Amino acid sequence: MRAFVCGLTLLPVQENIHDSGMSVRRLDQLLSNLGYCSRREVRDWLKAGRIAIAGKTADDPGSKPSPAAVRVDGEPLDHPEGLLLLLNKPLGLTCSHDLREAPLVYDLLPPRWRERNPLVTSVGRLDKETSGLLLLTDRTELVHRLTSPKHKVPKIYHATLDRDLPAELAEVFASGTLRLEGEPEPCAPAILRPLGPRMAEVTLIEGKYHQVRRMFAAAAGAAVLALHRVSFGPLTLCDLAPGCYRELTIEELGL
Ligand code: URA
């Protein structure tokens, strides 16, 4: 079952995700990787009879059960096959695991998901002062697949600028020659579509650090006052409110 989640509300929608590709793990490792407790604590949970495998109370932390057969306090495991989430990132949250940069986008997730290994991480980053569509996953192969410029996944942003757009800006963005300070390669061709005198839609197929802001600064000396990502490949936010997320199927990524 997929779900829209916002604050504490959980609204069911359609099916769940995909194959895991995850290897067979010891029970104690499986539970600690899914964020339940430490491997040492699994022994206490076993002694307390909280864990069952195929309907029988489990006692061996070294057993290697099928995750689908495991129950904790009578409940199936929490997403043993991995997490893939689409979040509407609000302004003011950082895409980092460093608590010194809090508040973090991961603060929006249930505490158990924040304890998973591999970590749930963002697919690329949005700046603290950028809002909009952000993918989160603990499936490391997906992060690489979706962020590699080789795969040319288009990302669309809406930007509000501090001045009127110069007439020739779309041509400069599309040229493939725009250089950003400190970058060895020029930006790949990008599409700029004016939405108003000081508003534009920008489509990028790469994700350099602060790329949209730096492109406007380099090409027009313009500052971006507001930036919002509206889509990532085939995905859009639809009616997902800021701070809310929903689970995605792998098929929705259109890979
Ligand atoms: N470009 C930026 O400048 N910031 C973002 O967050 C994303 C793209």
Side-chain angles (χ1 to χ4, degrees), residues 59-86:
D59 58 7
D60 179 5
S63 63
K64 293 184 174 174
S66 155
V70 179
R71 297 288 178 275
V72 176
D73 298 330
E75 297 292 327
L77 292 181
D78 185 359
H79 296 82
E81 72 288 352
L83 284 166
L84 177 56
L85 307 169
L86 184 157

mmCIF file of all heavy atoms in Angstrom, residues 59-86:
data_model
loop_
_atom_site.group_PDB
_atom_site.id
_atom_site.type_symbol
_atom_site.label_atom_id
_atom_site.label_comp_id
_atom_site.label_asym_id
_atom_site.label_seq_id
_atom_site.Cartn_x
_atom_site.Cartn_y
_atom_site.Cartn_z
ATOM 1 N N ASP A 59 14.105 -17.350 18.287
ATOM 2 C CA ASP A 59 15.078 -17.275 19.389
ATOM 3 C C ASP A 59 16.517 -17.153 18.903
ATOM 4 O O ASP A 59 17.428 -16.997 19.702
ATOM 5 C CB ASP A 59 14.936 -18.480 20.327
ATOM 6 C CG ASP A 59 15.123 -19.800 19.592
ATOM 7 O OD1 ASP A 59 15.499 -19.762 18.396
ATOM 8 O OD2 ASP A 59 14.885 -20.848 20.207
ATOM 9 N N ASP A 60 16.728 -17.230 17.576
ATOM 10 C CA ASP A 60 18.103 -17.249 17.073
ATOM 11 C C ASP A 60 18.408 -15.957 16.302
ATOM 12 O O ASP A 60 17.924 -15.775 15.188
ATOM 13 C CB ASP A 60 18.287 -18.464 16.161
ATOM 14 C CG ASP A 60 19.693 -18.534 15.589
ATOM 15 O OD1 ASP A 60 20.548 -17.701 15.967
ATOM 16 O OD2 ASP A 60 19.929 -19.418 14.738
ATOM 17 N N PRO A 61 19.247 -15.073 16.860
ATOM 18 C CA PRO A 61 19.551 -13.820 16.150
ATOM 19 C C PRO A 61 20.351 -14.056 14.865
ATOM 20 O O PRO A 61 20.398 -13.193 13.992
ATOM 21 C CB PRO A 61 20.390 -13.029 17.160
ATOM 22 C CG PRO A 61 20.936 -14.048 18.102
ATOM 23 C CD PRO A 61 19.938 -15.170 18.151
ATOM 24 N N GLY A 62 20.952 -15.242 14.762
ATOM 25 C CA GLY A 62 21.767 -15.531 13.578
ATOM 26 C C GLY A 62 21.006 -16.220 12.462
ATOM 27 O O GLY A 62 21.559 -16.480 11.398
ATOM 28 N N SER A 63 19.713 -16.480 12.675
ATOM 29 C CA SER A 63 18.947 -17.118 11.593
ATOM 30 C C SER A 63 18.798 -16.135 10.435
ATOM 31 O O SER A 63 18.942 -14.918 10.622
ATOM 32 C CB SER A 63 17.573 -17.554 12.110
ATOM 33 O OG SER A 63 16.840 -16.412 12.508
ATOM 34 N N LYS A 64 18.536 -16.667 9.252
ATOM 35 C CA LYS A 64 18.441 -15.794 8.068
ATOM 36 C C LYS A 64 17.070 -15.966 7.420
ATOM 37 O O LYS A 64 16.940 -16.587 6.367
ATOM 38 C CB LYS A 64 19.560 -16.129 7.081
ATOM 39 C CG LYS A 64 20.936 -15.782 7.641
ATOM 40 C CD LYS A 64 22.032 -16.026 6.619
ATOM 41 C CE LYS A 64 23.361 -15.530 7.156
ATOM 42 N NZ LYS A 64 24.481 -15.856 6.267
ATOM 43 N N PRO A 65 16.046 -15.407 8.053
ATOM 44 C CA PRO A 65 14.682 -15.621 7.553
ATOM 45 C C PRO A 65 14.380 -14.767 6.328
ATOM 46 O O PRO A 65 15.034 -13.751 6.078
ATOM 47 C CB PRO A 65 13.817 -15.162 8.730
ATOM 48 C CG PRO A 65 14.649 -14.108 9.385
ATOM 49 C CD PRO A 65 16.080 -14.509 9.213
ATOM 50 N N SER A 66 13.357 -15.189 5.613
ATOM 51 C CA SER A 66 12.817 -14.302 4.582
ATOM 52 C C SER A 66 12.166 -13.124 5.308
ATOM 53 O O SER A 66 11.357 -13.335 6.221
ATOM 54 C CB SER A 66 11.775 -15.067 3.768
ATOM 55 O OG SER A 66 10.888 -14.134 3.202
ATOM 56 N N PRO A 67 12.493 -11.877 4.943
ATOM 57 C CA PRO A 67 11.893 -10.728 5.630
ATOM 58 C C PRO A 67 10.368 -10.790 5.661
ATOM 59 O O PRO A 67 9.743 -10.366 6.636
ATOM 60 C CB PRO A 67 12.388 -9.529 4.817
ATOM 61 C CG PRO A 67 13.678 -10.000 4.221
ATOM 62 C CD PRO A 67 13.489 -11.473 3.934
ATOM 63 N N ALA A 68 9.774 -11.377 4.620
ATOM 64 C CA ALA A 68 8.308 -11.438 4.567
ATOM 65 C C ALA A 68 7.734 -12.330 5.669
ATOM 66 O O ALA A 68 6.558 -12.202 6.023
ATOM 67 C CB ALA A 68 7.861 -11.941 3.202
ATOM 68 N N ALA A 69 8.564 -13.247 6.209
ATOM 69 C CA ALA A 69 8.068 -14.191 7.225
ATOM 70 C C ALA A 69 8.205 -13.638 8.639
ATOM 71 O O ALA A 69 7.719 -14.238 9.594
ATOM 72 C CB ALA A 69 8.828 -15.505 7.107
ATOM 73 N N VAL A 70 8.888 -12.501 8.797
ATOM 74 C CA VAL A 70 9.190 -11.977 10.137
ATOM 75 C C VAL A 70 8.061 -11.062 10.620
ATOM 76 O O VAL A 70 7.523 -10.267 9.856
ATOM 77 C CB VAL A 70 10.532 -11.193 10.108
ATOM 78 C CG1 VAL A 70 10.859 -10.625 11.490
ATOM 79 C CG2 VAL A 70 11.665 -12.087 9.615
ATOM 80 N N ARG A 71 7.738 -11.206 11.907
ATOM 81 C CA ARG A 71 6.791 -10.295 12.551
ATOM 82 C C ARG A 71 7.454 -9.723 13.800
ATOM 83 O O ARG A 71 8.132 -10.442 14.533
ATOM 84 C CB ARG A 71 5.513 -11.024 12.991
ATOM 85 C CG ARG A 71 4.704 -11.613 11.834
ATOM 86 C CD ARG A 71 4.008 -10.526 11.013
ATOM 87 N NE ARG A 71 3.274 -11.057 9.867
ATOM 88 C CZ ARG A 71 3.807 -11.324 8.668
ATOM 89 N NH1 ARG A 71 5.100 -11.114 8.442
ATOM 90 N NH2 ARG A 71 3.072 -11.799 7.683
ATOM 91 N N VAL A 72 7.273 -8.438 14.022
ATOM 92 C CA VAL A 72 7.733 -7.815 15.264
ATOM 93 C C VAL A 72 6.491 -7.311 15.983
ATOM 94 O O VAL A 72 5.721 -6.526 15.402
ATOM 95 C CB VAL A 72 8.711 -6.646 14.991
ATOM 96 C CG1 VAL A 72 9.093 -5.950 16.296
ATOM 97 C CG2 VAL A 72 9.952 -7.142 14.281
ATOM 98 N N ASP A 73 6.294 -7.789 17.194
ATOM 99 C CA ASP A 73 5.069 -7.463 17.943
ATOM 100 C C ASP A 73 3.833 -7.735 17.079
ATOM 101 O O ASP A 73 2.876 -6.952 17.070
ATOM 102 C CB ASP A 73 5.091 -5.993 18.405
ATOM 103 C CG ASP A 73 6.251 -5.721 19.354
ATOM 104 O OD1 ASP A 73 6.656 -6.648 20.075
ATOM 105 O OD2 ASP A 73 6.755 -4.574 19.354
ATOM 106 N N GLY A 74 3.925 -8.803 16.308
ATOM 107 C CA GLY A 74 2.776 -9.222 15.495
ATOM 108 C C GLY A 74 2.626 -8.488 14.175
ATOM 109 O O GLY A 74 1.743 -8.804 13.391
ATOM 110 N N GLU A 75 3.511 -7.516 13.918
ATOM 111 C CA GLU A 75 3.388 -6.705 12.691
ATOM 112 C C GLU A 75 4.435 -7.114 11.650
ATOM 113 O O GLU A 75 5.584 -7.403 12.018
ATOM 114 C CB GLU A 75 3.634 -5.221 13.011
ATOM 115 C CG GLU A 75 2.632 -4.595 13.955
ATOM 116 C CD GLU A 75 1.254 -4.471 13.337
ATOM 117 O OE1 GLU A 75 1.167 -4.266 12.114
ATOM 118 O OE2 GLU A 75 0.270 -4.597 14.069
ATOM 119 N N PRO A 76 4.088 -7.091 10.358
ATOM 120 C CA PRO A 76 5.094 -7.326 9.313
ATOM 121 C C PRO A 76 6.192 -6.270 9.381
ATOM 122 O O PRO A 76 5.981 -5.180 9.924
ATOM 123 C CB PRO A 76 4.306 -7.182 8.005
ATOM 124 C CG PRO A 76 2.878 -7.214 8.378
ATOM 125 C CD PRO A 76 2.754 -6.808 9.807
ATOM 126 N N LEU A 77 7.350 -6.579 8.797
ATOM 127 C CA LEU A 77 8.471 -5.623 8.831
ATOM 128 C C LEU A 77 8.134 -4.360 8.035
ATOM 129 O O LEU A 77 7.368 -4.392 7.067
ATOM 130 C CB LEU A 77 9.732 -6.278 8.278
ATOM 131 C CG LEU A 77 10.312 -7.390 9.143
ATOM 132 C CD1 LEU A 77 11.580 -7.947 8.503
ATOM 133 C CD2 LEU A 77 10.595 -6.899 10.562
ATOM 134 N N ASP A 78 8.742 -3.280 8.474
ATOM 135 C CA ASP A 78 8.512 -1.957 7.899
ATOM 136 C C ASP A 78 9.394 -1.782 6.646
ATOM 137 O O ASP A 78 10.592 -1.548 6.754
ATOM 138 C CB ASP A 78 8.890 -0.927 8.982
ATOM 139 C CG ASP A 78 8.589 0.501 8.588
ATOM 140 O OD1 ASP A 78 8.100 0.725 7.461
ATOM 141 O OD2 ASP A 78 8.862 1.388 9.423
ATOM 142 N N HIS A 79 8.793 -1.942 5.459
ATOM 143 C CA HIS A 79 9.495 -1.740 4.192
ATOM 144 C C HIS A 79 10.852 -2.445 4.122
ATOM 145 O O HIS A 79 11.882 -1.803 3.918
ATOM 146 C CB HIS A 79 9.687 -0.246 3.914
ATOM 147 C CG HIS A 79 8.410 0.492 3.725
ATOM 148 N ND1 HIS A 79 7.654 0.941 4.768
ATOM 149 C CD2 HIS A 79 7.762 0.838 2.592
ATOM 150 C CE1 HIS A 79 6.567 1.536 4.310
ATOM 151 N NE2 HIS A 79 6.599 1.484 2.994
ATOM 152 N N PRO A 80 10.866 -3.779 4.271
ATOM 153 C CA PRO A 80 12.157 -4.482 4.194
ATOM 154 C C PRO A 80 12.784 -4.396 2.801
ATOM 155 O O PRO A 80 13.974 -4.569 2.634
ATOM 156 C CB PRO A 80 11.797 -5.930 4.538
ATOM 157 C CG PRO A 80 10.340 -6.049 4.230
ATOM 158 C CD PRO A 80 9.743 -4.698 4.499
ATOM 159 N N GLU A 81 11.954 -4.083 1.802
ATOM 160 C CA GLU A 81 12.456 -4.043 0.413
ATOM 161 C C GLU A 81 13.033 -2.679 0.034
ATOM 162 O O GLU A 81 13.512 -2.492 -1.076
ATOM 163 C CB GLU A 81 11.330 -4.423 -0.559
ATOM 164 C CG GLU A 81 10.243 -3.386 -0.748
ATOM 165 C CD GLU A 81 9.300 -3.218 0.449
ATOM 166 O OE1 GLU A 81 9.365 -3.999 1.406
ATOM 167 O OE2 GLU A 81 8.496 -2.281 0.414
ATOM 168 N N GLY A 82 13.005 -1.724 0.933
ATOM 169 C CA GLY A 82 13.579 -0.400 0.644
ATOM 170 C C GLY A 82 12.503 0.663 0.590
ATOM 171 O O GLY A 82 11.308 0.358 0.468
ATOM 172 N N LEU A 83 12.942 1.908 0.680
ATOM 173 C CA LEU A 83 12.023 3.050 0.662
ATOM 174 C C LEU A 83 12.292 3.907 -0.569
ATOM 175 O O LEU A 83 13.449 4.132 -0.936
ATOM 176 C CB LEU A 83 12.244 3.921 1.900
ATOM 177 C CG LEU A 83 11.693 3.401 3.219
ATOM 178 C CD1 LEU A 83 12.293 4.180 4.378
ATOM 179 C CD2 LEU A 83 10.173 3.492 3.248
ATOM 180 N N LEU A 84 11.241 4.385 -1.172
ATOM 181 C CA LEU A 84 11.354 5.317 -2.289
ATOM 182 C C LEU A 84 10.218 6.319 -2.114
ATOM 183 O O LEU A 84 9.041 5.942 -2.172
ATOM 184 C CB LEU A 84 11.237 4.569 -3.621
ATOM 185 C CG LEU A 84 11.263 5.402 -4.892
ATOM 186 C CD1 LEU A 84 12.522 6.259 -4.985
ATOM 187 C CD2 LEU A 84 11.158 4.490 -6.113
ATOM 188 N N LEU A 85 10.584 7.577 -1.855
ATOM 189 C CA LEU A 85 9.600 8.585 -1.459
ATOM 190 C C LEU A 85 9.707 9.824 -2.321
ATOM 191 O O LEU A 85 10.816 10.206 -2.743
ATOM 192 C CB LEU A 85 9.836 9.009 -0.004
ATOM 193 C CG LEU A 85 9.914 7.902 1.043
ATOM 194 C CD1 LEU A 85 10.426 8.458 2.368
ATOM 195 C CD2 LEU A 85 8.561 7.245 1.227
ATOM 196 N N LEU A 86 8.560 10.460 -2.552
ATOM 197 C CA LEU A 86 8.522 11.750 -3.239
ATOM 198 C C LEU A 86 8.045 12.765 -2.197
ATOM 199 O O LEU A 86 6.957 12.618 -1.641
ATOM 200 C CB LEU A 86 7.552 11.661 -4.413
ATOM 201 C CG LEU A 86 7.422 12.854 -5.338
ATOM 202 C CD1 LEU A 86 6.902 12.373 -6.699
ATOM 203 C CD2 LEU A 86 6.478 13.894 -4.807
#
